[in-house]
DNA sequence: CGGTATCCCGTCAGATACTG
DNA sequence: CAGTATCTGACGGGATACCG
């Protein structure tokens, strides 16, 4: 978390803290999936839902709306019948992929240790 | 999210996916604060609670337990009266600080844009 | 097609009270 | 001091049904 004065921990759970804002978005269940799905180019609503897999329409709508609100994604509606809506990453959205890649790399290299530790911990701590 | 075969989006919300596992932990409300607080060295339970600020004892306990289970934090209890318990980062926990720093840097550089975009968006979309 | 509206339920944070 | 136990309300997410 960004420090308020010194060190790392500023004022606890401050909704204004940049890191907090980012974490609240990135921590969202579907945000990272959606950004990843859009990495290769624009997608329509249904394509996006199919690619992400497991997400309901309602929740995908909410996720996309939040991303659009944050300026990470652009929604483009073509006035046609039937409707055609495309979603694409903004430059800001694309710039987020770098930190996400760093996270992903860490995960790929270290999650095995985490999982192993979990099993060990669980064996010790119950029956 | 780590890909199952190719591209970025693997199998949707797979609890086994390394990136998912990491995000589920990092996305937690207090995890990053606690890791940040422990960056400078070990802390006792109460010190930690005071530093993080706003976290209840129950929730801090749960957060610490999860971090200990994942092997990111070590809990050391000294058999004294009154009890003395210290928490410190493991090497694994410390290694996580690098990706978190990258995230924080991105946040510090770009969140202003996000917030500005939010206000703009909100103005357009209601009353 | 691309949503919105509605209902429902599980999870979880917060507050409070208590214990070794 | 460092927790645990319990109750509570808020919220997020899924399922379903419907609309322009």
């Amino acid at each position: 978390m960004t420090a308020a004065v010194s060190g790392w921990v500023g004022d606890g759970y401050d909704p204004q803290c940049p890191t907090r804002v980012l974490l609240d978005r990135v921590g969202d269940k579907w945000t990272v999936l959606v950004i990843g799905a859009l990495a290769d180019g624009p997608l329509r609503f249904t394509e996006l839902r199919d690619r992400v897999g497991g997400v309901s329409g309602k929740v995908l709508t909410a996720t996309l709306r939040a991303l659009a609100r944050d300026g990470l994604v652009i929604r483009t509606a073509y006035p046609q019948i039937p409707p055609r809506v495309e979603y694409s990453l903004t430059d800001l959205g694309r710039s987020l992929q770098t930190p996400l890649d760093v996270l992903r790399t860490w995960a790929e290299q270290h999650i095995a240790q985490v999982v192993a530790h979990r099993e060990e911990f669980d064996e010790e701590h119950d029956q």
Side-chain angles (χ1 to χ4, degrees), chain A residues 20 23 27 29 31 42 56 72 89 93:
Chain A
R20 179 80 273 149
L23 247 31
K29 207 175 175 183
T31 297
S56 68
L72 299 170
L89 290 180

Side-chain angles (χ1 to χ4, degrees), chain A residues 6 101 104 119:
Chain A
S6 66
D101 279 345
R104 186 162 51 96
E119 289 168 2

Side-chain angles (χ1 to χ4, degrees), chain A residues 47-64:
Chain A
E47 294 171 332
L48 209 37
R49 194 180 49 199
D50 293 344
R51 272 221 210 184
V52 170
V55 67
S56 68
K58 169 190 159 188
V59 173
L60 181 58
T61 300
T63 303
L64 287 167

Side-chain angles (χ1 to χ4, degrees), chain A residues 63 70 88:
Chain A
T63 303
D70 287 356
S88 57

Side-chain angles (χ1 to χ4, degrees), chain A residues 97-117:
Chain A
Q97 291 185 318
T98 306
L100 292 182
D101 279 345
V102 173
L103 234 62
R104 186 162 51 96
T105 302
W106 188 94
E108 288 170 357
Q109 290 173 348
H110 298 284
I111 283 299
Q113 289 182 60
V114 170
V115 171
H117 206 283

